[in-house]
Amino acid sequence: MPLGTLSCDDKRTILDALEGPYNDDSYALYWESILSIRRLLFTVTVFIDNRIIKFVIIETLCIVSLLHHSFIKPFKHPASNQVEMLSLIFLSLLDMISGLKLGYINVGVQAGPVSGTFQVLNFVEGLFPFVILLFIIIQEIKIKAMLNLKNFS
């Protein structure tokens, strides 16, 4: 359906969905642009052959994204900002772990006394998705509890 054929109420509904979570209406377009550029830059790193350069670029993107988000705090609700910050922190930590593993691999040390360190790094790396899932479940429970409290008030 062309945008010109939508009623004013339909257009307002679409704009509310796009602008709703942000502090200010002007943040919506700005922050969505930032997110799109960030995704594009992460996608472009797929084509970099050198693992070290790729690691440095991705880690730099993670840290710049984290710092930018921590200063701007684009979302209305503090919980949304905290979830996004936590997501960026986890992304940065995962990249750091991958960088440590990459360093061991480049030096050629994967066996012997370092193999235990490698196993720990693999375990921590595999644990992250479960920690994130647990955090999301806890947030959902909090949100449902808040909604239930508001319904009883």
Side-chain angles (χ1 to χ4, degrees):
M1 177 184 304
L3 197 57
T5 61
L6 294 175
S7 70
C8 287
D9 289 337
D10 291 338
K11 288 178 185 176
R12 186 71 245 160
T13 302
I14 292 170
L15 282 175
D16 285 344
L18 293 174
E19 297 173 346
Y22 298 101
N23 276 332
D24 186 359
D25 291 346
S26 63
Y27 272 139
L29 182 60
Y30 166 74
W31 199 253
E32 288 297 325
S33 301
I34 294 296
L35 292 177
S36 295
I37 290 168
R38 185 172 73 192
R39 289 181 195 116
L40 176 68
L41 291 173
F42 277 118
T43 304
V44 168
T45 61
V46 169
F47 301 106
I48 298 173
D49 287 335
N50 188 322
R51 291 180 181 178
I52 301 290
I53 292 172
K54 185 187 290 191
F55 160 72
V56 170
I57 290 172
I58 290 175
E59 189 60 34
T60 303
L61 282 172
C62 289
I63 291 173
V64 167
S65 298
L66 178 62
L67 291 174
H68 188 226
H69 188 275
S70 66
F71 286 119
I72 299 293
K73 294 183 181 156
F75 300 115
K76 285 180 188 173
H77 302 290
S80 299
N81 284 315
Q82 291 169 355
V83 168
E84 179 69 13
M85 294 256 311
L86 187 66
S87 168
L88 291 168
I89 288 169
F90 274 128
L91 188 61
S92 184
L93 288 174
L94 275 172
D95 191 53
M96 284 182 195
I97 289 171
S98 296
L100 285 170
K101 288 169 57 175
L102 177 63
Y104 282 126
I105 290 170
N106 277 349
V107 176
V109 181
Q110 295 180 32
V114 180
S115 66
T117 305
F118 229 68
Q119 289 174 350
V120 169
L121 290 174
N122 284 335
F123 176 75
V124 171
E125 196 174 37
L127 195 63
F128 271 177
F130 296 108
V131 171
I132 292 170
L133 182 63
L134 181 64
F135 180 76
I136 290 170
I137 290 170
I138 291 170
Q139 289 300 324
E140 283 292 319
I141 292 170
K142 284 181 180 179
I143 290 170
K144 287 181 181 180
M146 286 189 329
L147 290 175
N148 285 338
L149 289 176
K150 286 181 182 179
N151 288 340
F152 289 120
S153 299

